[in-house]
Amino acid sequence: MNWLATLNESQLKAVIHPGGPLFVVAGAGTGKTKTLTSKIAYLIMNGTPSHRILAVTFTNKAAREMKQRVIEMTGPHAMDVWLYTFHAFGLQMLRRHIAELPYGYRPNFNVIDEDDGKKIIQEMIKSLELDVKMFSLKNLKNLFSLYKTRRLEEFERTDEEKIFKKYQAYLRENQLVDFDDLLLYPLQLMEDYPTIRDHYQTAFEHVLVDEFQDTDIIQYKLLKLLGFRHKNVFVVGDPDQSIYGFRGANYENARLFMKDFGAEQILLEQNYRSTNQILKTANQLINYNFNRPAAKTLESDLGLGEAPYIHHAQNDIRESFFVTNEIRRLSQLGVRFDEIAVLYRNNALSRLFEEAMIKEGLPYVIYGGISFYERREIKDALAYIRVVIDPMQDFFLKRIINVPKRAIGLVSIQKLESKAKELGISMFDAIHYAELTPAARQSLIQFRQMIEDMQTKFDEMENLAEIMPYLMGKTGYMDMLRAENDEIADDRIDNLKELQNVFTRGDEYYEGTFMEKLSQQLDQIALYSDQDQELDDHDRVRLSTYHQVKGLEFRVVFMVVMEENIFPSDRSLMNPSELEEERRIAYVGITRAKEKLYMSYADQRMVYGSMRYSYPSRFIQESRIRFDEPKIEGISEGKGHLLKTGDKVEHNVFGLGVVVRVDDDVATIAFGMPHGIKKILESHPAIRKKQS
């Protein structure tokens, strides 16, 4: 067992713990997975039959990797360890025992995913002769999940309850279970069937749980029943990294486990990832949380390292160019792009940094997400605008003809397209000629009228800033998202508000009539969205939300847009427990950094189309980082300009030019004839600085 020699004192203490309940509080970068897999291997090498060990985690990938590591440590007889996700373990139980439940299930039932669930809900609404358009399928599916897991006590409306009962009956009649059932039915079997409970309480001698801080109420109840008899329950987690409250993770499970099991506690505080100035910053920040069931202080043997930097920008665009300039400087010093992460609180904040990366020609990848202009709601909004400008564009018309839903089904769209081809005209013009049901015809005529109304309104507009509020109201798109009333819908609304910022800025950037400015803006967006982003992230800067990089590490981390009401979010400021979760998210961000950490904020930020004054996040002050900014190449230190006198630039229209002077945000640039001297915003997207 030479792998035992690689463990530090605290890890070894946890691994050779003689049994009984144990809570291993594993701080960020302290070797959590190594400790857990070593514990499983140690149990096997000390005579515990591998089939009597149950270990549960949260992702299939983690389960596979852990099993592989245990096999490498102990040999092929570790194959029999029960190493599953919570849902996969529930499925194993149900395959054996679901017929015991009074719902008529057979062992060969099928599991449905989220989309299948929404389709079934849609069918149930129709079967009750209710109007499908009055409901958000996503919202209903979310409500049903909350109700089933008892995070919602009762439905507000009787229609919702009727649909839910129909949905449940349909699942049972058709031998289907959803993801909630994969946990709820096993819990019911354990609670209500003594024989089954006895079997599982004696089948396993040891139960181990990974990422314990992410468990919800149902998972904890299952765990409590499974470990009730032998009490050999070994849980590994970090309450300070509990950031999934919106998915149901119950922060109080750590306290419940300590109380219900009388568990011992071992702290893993030896960090193997970060230098000590970064860890000191993390420790200072998280100490502001009062509700900490297992406080700890991270330290490493990696030296003091560099102090984290704070960058204070005059405005949001300058912040984004500070980040790209610094990334270029780091790259020249030998830091690989894929060792750098730019982290933000929500996806809508990616746009400015994405555009700055494109403008500077830096390779990047949106981690765990998609490019801002590739998001569904953004593509929908832009498709509407393109159809209003030119209704003959069938490709864009097909995208939005039934979004939001307006009773124009797939068959109607196919008939309309066929008629348009037959007559050699656009689908928009074919609306009056297609042979359709009266309801579909009426909906299409109303759609056509809406587009024509919007054309009239666009003709009256003077500023691009007017587009988004009008578009979202007229089409009902924003109402559709508000009706969904969930975390994803909130993100999509934020993204559309960010698109409002794009058009508001377009009024400053572009010249000409309203339509000329709009045309230039759409062309610029098309250039962004046509970037050939490869799917792999090899040697690319990662742009990501904090939630997407939990568990990962980077040499350099930029925590951007560190401003009050954004991070912490305005939604959290009235609720102490939500504010503490926001602080844990910031803690996760800091502890991703190995060598360099930057926090940045701006005095002014474009928010929902208007410029607002911003204040630095309380998390900066709580981290107690001194304001010590690095020297950035290519930016004069005095005013932090993006351009300086003598810089060579290239303009999309005017060609090559030389910067004559820079006053505030405006650069005076000399271009060749016939263009001559021009005054242009130095952050204008049409300008690109030539690398000397």
Side-chain angles (χ1 to χ4, degrees):
M1 288 192 278
N2 60 351
W3 38 266
L4 281 178
T6 68
L7 302 173
N8 67 34
E9 187 182 344
S10 298
Q11 290 170 336
L12 182 63
K13 191 176 168 189
V15 168
I16 64 173
H17 186 264
L22 181 67
F23 186 5
V24 180
V25 182
T30 58
K32 165 183 72 70
T33 305
K34 181 180 184 179
T35 305
L36 188 60
T37 50
S38 297
K39 178 68 178 181
I40 297 169
Y42 183 78
L43 291 171
I44 293 169
M45 300 300 271
N46 277 274
T48 303
S50 54
H51 68 274
R52 303 202 68 187
I53 299 170
L54 168 66
V56 283
T57 185
F58 275 85
T59 67
N60 292 307
K61 181 171 178 272
R64 278 196 309 273
E65 287 174 358
M66 282 165 61
K67 193 155 197 171
Q68 189 56 43
R69 281 168 78 164
V70 175
I71 290 167
E72 285 167 8
M73 292 159 91
T74 63
H77 49 286
M79 291 290 290
D80 294 334
V81 172
W82 284 56
L83 222 168
Y84 292 111
T85 64
F86 274 100
H87 290 91
F89 171 67
L91 181 58
Q92 291 292 321
M93 274 188 75
L94 295 181
R95 288 284 179 228
R96 290 167 169 78
H97 309 290
I98 198 167
E100 305 280 335
L101 293 170
Y103 308 128
Y105 278 111
R106 298 186 296 275
N108 63 343
F109 62 88
N110 286 301
V111 183
I112 60 164
D113 64 17
E114 196 77 8
D115 278 343
D116 296 332
K118 286 190 279 196
K119 282 174 186 151
I120 292 166
I121 290 168
Q122 187 174 34
E123 285 179 35
M124 297 307 98
I125 294 169
K126 287 176 183 171
S127 72
L128 287 164
E129 298 185 342
L130 297 168
D131 184 356
V132 175
K133 286 186 286 186
M134 297 302 292
F135 299 93
S136 156
L137 300 179
K138 188 182 288 179
N139 192 28
L140 278 178
K141 183 74 180 69
N142 190 40
L143 271 179
F144 293 175
S145 180
L146 292 173
Y147 182 74
K148 285 168 87 160
T149 56
R150 281 293 175 264
R151 284 186 283 145
L152 176 76
E153 286 305 313
E154 57 184 25
F155 293 106
E156 283 187 20
R157 308 208 311 261
T158 52
D159 283 348
E160 290 167 352
E161 193 169 353
K162 283 181 197 165
I163 299 163
F164 172 73
K165 285 177 177 170
K166 273 268 195 187
Y167 169 77
Q168 278 296 92
Y170 182 93
L171 293 187
R172 289 167 181 173
E173 286 162 15
N174 291 275
Q175 297 293 309
L176 302 171
V177 299
D178 63 19
F179 263 60
D180 292 316
D181 296 332
L182 290 177
L183 298 177
L184 289 166
Y185 288 155
L187 180 60
Q188 189 176 348
L189 287 166
M190 289 286 285
E191 285 179 338
D192 298 349
Y193 296 80
T195 311
I196 294 170
R197 181 168 63 248
D198 288 347
H199 170 72
Y200 283 96
Q201 285 178 343
T202 53
F204 303 114
E205 290 180 26
H206 292 269
V207 178
L208 303 94
V209 184
D210 186 24
E211 302 285 10
F212 181 66
Q213 76 280 347
D214 295 337
T215 52
D216 63 23
I217 292 166
I218 307 298
Q219 289 158 343
Y220 179 72
K221 284 180 178 175
L222 259 176
L223 171 68
K224 189 176 169 185
L225 283 165
L226 285 164
F228 180 78
R229 190 165 293 185
H230 53 69
K231 300 282 197 300
N232 293 324
V233 182
F234 181 99
V235 307
V236 184
D238 183 5
D240 288 335
Q241 294 186 76
S242 176
I243 61 173
Y244 290 109
F246 68 92
R247 286 187 195 161
N250 183 30
Y251 187 72
E252 292 306 312
N253 282 354
R255 273 201 182 80
L256 285 173
F257 178 67
M258 300 297 291
K259 179 170 74 73
D260 293 343
F261 283 87
E264 287 184 54
Q265 196 179 91
I266 293 176
L267 301 183
L268 301 188
E269 299 177 297
Q270 173 75 38
N271 177 282
Y272 293 95
R273 176 184 297 156
S274 309
T275 52
N276 280 295
Q277 293 223 56
I278 290 170
L279 295 177
K280 183 182 174 188
T281 300
N283 293 333
Q284 284 171 167
L285 174 70
I286 203 65
N287 274 334
Y288 278 84
N289 273 7
F290 293 108
N291 185 5
R292 290 181 78 201
K296 62 193 176 312
T297 303
L298 297 178
E299 290 182 0
S300 81
D301 293 333
L302 300 171
L304 196 59
E306 292 184 38
Y309 293 114
I310 292 179
H311 181 70
H312 171 193
Q314 287 180 340
N315 59 45
D316 49 2
I317 288 179
R318 291 201 174 184
E319 180 193 23
S320 69
F321 280 101
F322 158 77
V323 171
T324 52
N325 275 301
E326 187 64 354
I327 288 171
R328 189 174 292 288
R329 186 181 78 86
L330 291 167
S331 170
Q332 289 163 354
L333 293 173
V335 179
R336 288 168 53 89
F337 289 121
D338 59 9
E339 295 176 311
I340 301 171
V342 179
L343 306 181
Y344 34 77
R345 181 62 185 88
N346 61 63
N347 278 311
L349 299 172
S350 71
R351 182 190 63 85
L352 273 180
F353 298 94
E354 200 178 340
E355 291 187 358
M357 300 290 283
I358 292 166
K359 188 166 158 47
E360 292 299 306
L362 296 172
Y364 72 94
V365 63
I366 301 284
Y367 209 72
I370 52 173
S371 171
F372 180 80
Y373 291 112
E374 293 296 321
R375 293 183 178 127
R376 189 176 85 197
E377 59 276 13
I378 302 301
K379 289 177 87 101
D380 287 346
L382 294 172
Y384 263 111
I385 293 168
R386 291 182 187 279
V387 169
V388 172
I389 294 172
D390 179 8
M392 310 304 146
Q393 298 191 66
D394 289 354
F395 175 77
F396 294 109
L397 183 122
K398 276 199 288 184
R399 182 178 183 94
I400 47 93
I401 198 164
N402 198 36
V403 180
K405 295 208 179 317
R406 45 176 73 91
I408 304 169
L410 199 57
V411 175
S412 299
I413 295 169
Q414 286 167 348
K415 284 182 179 176
L416 180 62
E417 195 167 15
S418 298
K419 179 55 75 174
K421 282 178 182 164
E422 180 194 321
L423 298 175
I425 57 177
S426 71
M427 289 172 68
F428 190 76
D429 286 338
I431 285 172
H432 288 307
Y433 305 105
E435 291 150 18
L436 303 163
T437 62
R441 173 180 291 279
Q442 183 61 31
S443 293
L444 276 168
I445 288 169
Q446 287 171 353
F447 171 76
R448 183 184 170 108
Q449 186 60 52
M450 179 185 72
I451 297 297
E452 288 172 347
D453 290 347
M454 291 169 77
Q455 286 178 312
T456 304
K457 183 69 176 175
F458 270 40
D459 287 342
E460 297 167 0
M461 286 184 186
E462 294 180 4
N463 298 312
L464 301 184
E466 299 172 55
I467 293 173
M468 286 301 293
Y470 173 71
L471 182 78
M472 292 296 100
K474 180 72 174 173
T475 61
Y477 199 98
M478 202 62 96
D479 289 339
M480 172 188 81
L481 291 180
R482 287 195 188 104
E484 290 178 10
N485 190 30
D486 64 14
E487 183 92 5
I488 295 167
D490 287 346
D491 279 351
R492 295 177 67 198
I493 289 168
D494 285 345
N495 289 335
L496 287 166
K497 288 173 175 173
E498 181 62 25
L499 187 60
Q500 166 71 27
N501 294 349
V502 175
F503 285 110
T504 303
R505 279 220 165 87
D507 283 317
E508 300 171 31
Y509 289 155
Y510 304 110
E511 296 175 0
T513 65
F514 171 81
M515 275 302 175
E516 285 168 344
K517 287 194 292 186
L518 180 52
S519 178
Q520 291 174 74
Q521 179 75 77
L522 292 174
D523 284 349
Q524 186 67 48
I525 288 170
L527 290 173
Y528 286 141
S529 58
D530 286 343
Q531 294 295 309
D532 291 325
Q533 284 223 31
E534 296 168 25
L535 290 175
D536 75 303
D537 53 11
H538 177 66
D539 209 20
R540 292 164 178 270
V541 178
R542 323 291 177 86
L543 304 189
S544 176
T545 63
Y546 295 94
H547 287 91
Q548 292 289 348
V549 293
K550 185 170 173 283
L552 302 180
E553 56 185 44
F554 305 92
R555 268 182 82 182
V556 182
V557 168
F558 291 86
M559 294 172 66
V560 297
V561 198
M562 294 289 289
E563 292 155 26
E564 284 290 295
N565 297 316
I566 292 176
F567 192 28
S569 73
D570 51 3
R571 288 191 283 260
S572 70
L573 297 179
M574 303 305 290
N575 184 324
S577 66
E578 285 185 22
L579 182 59
E580 292 210 346
E581 178 147 331
E582 291 282 299
R583 193 174 282 109
R584 292 195 294 272
I585 294 168
Y587 176 81
V588 166
I590 293 168
T591 54
R592 298 313 93 201
K594 293 159 76 173
E595 296 173 18
K596 278 181 177 285
L597 173 67
Y598 299 82
M599 290 186 186
S600 64
Y601 70 96
D603 285 337
Q604 289 182 299
R605 181 166 304 281
M606 181 78 77
V607 180
Y608 308 155
S610 60
M611 196 61 84
R612 288 193 196 166
Y613 195 82
S614 301
Y615 297 91
S617 167
R618 68 189 66 197
F619 299 153
I620 291 178
Q621 180 266 321
E622 290 171 358
S623 302
R624 284 179 263 169
I625 308 171
R626 60 197 172 89
F627 280 67
D628 183 4
E629 298 188 8
K631 290 183 172 63
I632 308 302
E633 292 180 4
I635 298 184
S636 72
E637 287 182 54
K639 294 185 179 178
H641 285 301
L642 305 175
L643 297 173
K644 63 181 186 294
T645 302
D647 277 349
K648 293 182 175 65
V649 297
E650 190 169 7
H651 189 280
N652 291 353
V653 176
F654 306 140
L656 293 173
V658 177
V659 178
V660 179
R661 59 184 291 177
V662 182
D663 301 297
D664 294 328
D665 286 353
V666 178
T668 304
I669 304 173
F671 294 101
M673 295 305 287
H675 306 295
I677 304 284
K678 298 280 183 186
K679 289 192 173 184
I680 302 173
L681 278 168
E682 59 173 339
S683 58
H684 195 298
I687 301 174
R688 186 187 183 93
K689 190 164 128 181
K690 298 280 284 180
Q691 296 301 316
S692 53

